Amino acid sequence: MTKQRLTILGATGSIGASTLDVVGRHPDRFEVVALTGHRRLDVLEAQCRRHRPRYAVVGDAADARHLATSLSGVGTEVLAGPQALEHVASLPEVDAVMAAIVGAAGLPPTLAAVRSGKRILLANKEALVMAGAVFMAEVARCGATLLPIDSEHNAVFQSLPFGFDGNLRSSGVRKILLTASGGPFRTTPIDRLAEVSPDQACAHPNWVMGRKISVDSATMMNKGLEVIEARWLFNAAPEQIEVVIHPQSIIHSLVQYVDGSVVAELGNPDMRTPIAHALAYPERIDSGVASLDLFEVLQLNFERPDLHRFPCLALAYRALAAGGSAPAVLNAANEVAVSAFLDGTLPFLRIADVISASLDGVPSRPVADLEAVLAADADGRAAARQVVERFTKSR
Ligand code: NDP
Ligand code: MG
């Protein structure tokens, strides 16, 4: 069997580690060509020793020198910075790229992989939220293959007809139902949310994830971003996407067909399942995840999301309706607000206020290329920083 050669962007993170776990189970199938991290050099060093990639990429030149010294003899060349990320995402010897950098920083290297016609395993939802139209046009133009890693979108992909051509109507689809756990604060009295700490927000009941997406799950902005992600991945109109709270995270999402059928993907909540699915697609491989034991699950519950408790979800629908630069502004403002919350400078309930004020402050404009997307991102960040500063002063 010819091995699939991989670049893993964001290898040192939660998705990166799960990817390497699956890859490590199948040495006959996969070969790691490049691994990238940013600040966690010790993790990257251990990964390089284990998987012996040709390249490793870190955030800056000083860190690259450090890592190169510790890796002497391993045979890994250490590079640094955003250009190096794009370089390893588009190497001719690479077949597939796992896009698992968190946030807007993941867009340029993921787009570089798209432009080199790679098979893209997309975890970095922010890239699609920011640049949906531009991104999908490049996927089509460059003949890249896009496979969703986000558990909901991977479930939808598995529940759509094989070879889905981007037309929901002719495929008989009425609606896509995205499930959401509701995060750690689903039942917390709303008046107590003002005081919640970053560690409380990051303590997700079902999934172990990086800190940014954990906060996004607590505000449900994660689901908002996923609605926009679904819009682009499946060419869905906003009214064809519905969010259902399902606290057990066993049903990872569903597709409703016009004949009354509802097709879903179920499993234990472990990201190695969608990762293994996309790595081997259209084949199936062992992911290390145990099969679902229905006698242990016992109950599957569903609730309608409460937009009063989760205003970020409504903000995402608002940005999707506004279109153009609005989703990029939404994403940028969310990143600024979440990082201020994680730093302890912004109260939890202010996250939505920062995003809402930023959307007000940067009117939507058309975006035709990456430059326009990055300009919207910069404007969204600037607007959000001003609002954060105002809230911090008025505390
Ligand atoms: P983590 O925070 O665990 O990992 C993020 C990765 O990105 C790390 O490798 C980190 O490097 C790297 N990184 C951070 N900032 C930069 C930067 N400026 N330039 C280059 N690399 C950078 O996040 P997750 O793994 O949880 O999430 C990754 C992506 O996958 C996100 O977009 C998230 O929304 C998505 N996702 C995650 C899921 C999950 O279960 N975790 C589920 C569905 C989607 P370092 O740590 O070395 O600093
Ligand atoms: Mg998800």
Side-chain angles (χ1 to χ4, degrees):
M1 181 188 305
T2 49
K3 289 191 189 181
Q4 194 178 167
R5 292 158 302 178
L6 304 170
T7 283
I8 303 176
L9 302 170
T12 50
S14 161
I15 293 288
S18 294
T19 305
L20 286 172
D21 181 279
V22 177
V23 165
R25 291 166 192 274
H26 303 278
D28 53 323
R29 275 189 176 258
F30 305 110
E31 180 185 328
V32 178
V33 177
L35 293 176
T36 87
H38 194 58
R39 296 266 169 263
R40 280 179 273 190
L41 298 193
D42 47 339
V43 177
L44 191 57
E45 183 190 336
Q47 292 177 338
C48 289
R49 287 188 185 283
R50 161 102 167 74
H51 296 277
R52 300 188 165 262
R54 175 84 185 80
Y55 302 97
V57 182
V58 293
D60 64 46
D63 283 349
R65 281 193 297 274
H66 254 94
L67 186 63
T69 310
S70 7
L71 283 177
S72 68
V74 173
T76 297
E77 187 179 336
V78 185
L79 311 171
Q83 295 297 324
L85 293 175
E86 293 190 36
H87 175 66
V88 298
S90 42
L91 291 167
E93 66 265 37
V94 163
D95 306 304
V97 175
M98 166 58 78
I101 290 174
V102 61
L107 174 60
T110 306
L111 205 53
V114 168
R115 287 176 173 158
S116 327
K118 306 294 187 207
R119 173 170 167 129
I120 319 287
L121 282 49
L122 187 73
N124 176 225
K125 65 191 86 185
E126 294 93 341
L128 259 193
V129 170
M130 296 168 71
V134 172
F135 194 99
M136 295 309 288
E138 289 295 88
V139 168
R141 186 177 69 87
C142 305
T145 305
L146 197 55
L147 294 169
I149 294 297
D150 213 344
S151 59
E152 297 76 5
H153 305 73
N154 185 271
V156 170
F157 182 81
Q158 294 199 49
S159 304
L160 284 169
F162 189 82
F164 172 66
D165 63 354
N167 191 331
L168 289 175
R169 191 176 298 272
S170 70
S171 302
V173 174
R174 189 172 278 154
K175 242 184 201 178
I176 289 170
L177 304 179
L178 296 181
T179 53
S181 67
F185 305 140
R186 182 176 59 89
T187 57
T188 308
I190 293 191
D191 56 4
R192 276 209 236 137
L193 290 181
E195 297 306 323
V196 297
S197 70
D199 284 345
Q200 286 172 309
C202 290
H204 197 279
N206 308 339
W207 300 95
V208 182
M209 309 181 285
R211 283 173 81 78
K212 189 262 178 182
I213 182 175
S214 295
V215 176
D216 286 348
S217 298
T219 61
M220 272 190 85
M221 178 53 90
N222 183 50
K223 212 49 53 180
L225 300 178
E226 290 183 358
V227 167
I228 302 175
E229 183 185 13
R231 183 261 170 274
W232 293 111
L233 280 176
F234 308 116
N235 192 25
E239 58 277 9
Q240 287 176 306
I241 310 167
E242 192 175 331
V243 172
V244 181
I245 292 191
H246 163 47
Q248 291 90 357
S249 300
I250 294 294
I251 301 180
H252 299 140
S253 280
L254 316 89
V255 175
Q256 272 181 358
Y257 287 87
V258 289
D259 60 3
S261 302
V262 178
V263 180
E265 187 264 345
L266 288 76
N268 288 315
D270 187 321
M271 289 306 294
R272 290 177 301 174
T273 294
I275 290 168
H277 170 263
L279 276 171
Y281 183 80
E283 293 172 27
R284 298 275 178 173
I285 56 172
D286 172 35
S287 66
V289 179
S291 286
L292 185 63
D293 181 349
L294 286 172
F295 300 108
E296 202 139 288
V297 175
L298 294 178
Q299 276 198 41
L300 301 173
N301 298 89
F302 306 95
E303 297 165 14
R304 220 175 273 286
D306 171 358
L307 295 181
H308 178 59
R309 176 182 289 275
F310 297 116
C312 284
L313 186 55
L315 289 171
Y317 273 104
R318 172 179 154 196
L320 181 56
S325 58
V329 170
L330 172 94
N331 179 67
N334 181 55
E335 288 190 25
V336 169
V338 169
S339 109
F341 168 69
L342 285 171
D343 287 350
T345 48
L346 188 75
F348 182 77
L349 288 176
R350 288 296 193 192
I351 294 174
D353 297 335
V354 169
I355 300 163
S356 175
S358 305
L359 285 172
D360 292 342
V362 187
S364 175
R365 53 181 190 252
V367 282
D369 51 26
L370 181 62
E371 286 61 43
V373 172
L374 296 178
D377 176 75
D379 290 353
R381 274 167 212 277
R385 284 199 191 99
Q386 278 188 4
V387 190
V388 168
E389 208 169 300
R390 233 173 40 227
F391 285 144
T392 334
K393 279 187 189 140
S394 67
R395 267 185 103 174

